[in-house]
Amino acid sequence: MSSEESLSQIIMKSKIDCLRAQLIVIGLLKGLSHPDTIKISQVLDEWLYKYQKINSN
């Protein structure tokens, strides 16, 4: 962990990586237009937005 990277940033990155993996699996199994795939994609977008927001300061 770098001195500039906080624990919350590391946790957020881990959550984002987990959501990306889920998105890939669900997308492959159910298709890209399935409601479950779209929901995970939206949740991932929200986490990415939050992560970018705290890192833009």
Side-chain angles (χ1 to χ4, degrees):
M1 173 170 63
S2 71
S3 59
E4 295 181 24
E5 189 171 44
S6 71
L7 183 57
S8 62
Q9 288 171 307
I10 293 169
I11 292 169
M12 288 182 83
K13 283 167 58 173
S14 177
K15 178 69 175 177
I16 288 167
D17 289 342
C18 182
L19 286 166
R20 279 188 178 134
Q22 287 179 338
L23 180 61
I24 291 167
V25 171
I26 292 172
L28 289 172
L29 293 175
K30 296 184 176 184
L32 298 179
S33 61
H34 191 278
D36 291 344
T37 307
I38 294 169
K39 180 62 180 169
I40 294 289
S41 177
Q42 291 170 339
V43 172
L44 176 57
D45 286 345
E46 291 171 10
W47 277 92
L48 287 168
Y49 175 77
K50 290 176 192 177
Y51 184 78
Q52 289 173 346
K53 190 174 177 180
I54 67 167
N55 285 307
S56 66
N57 297 332

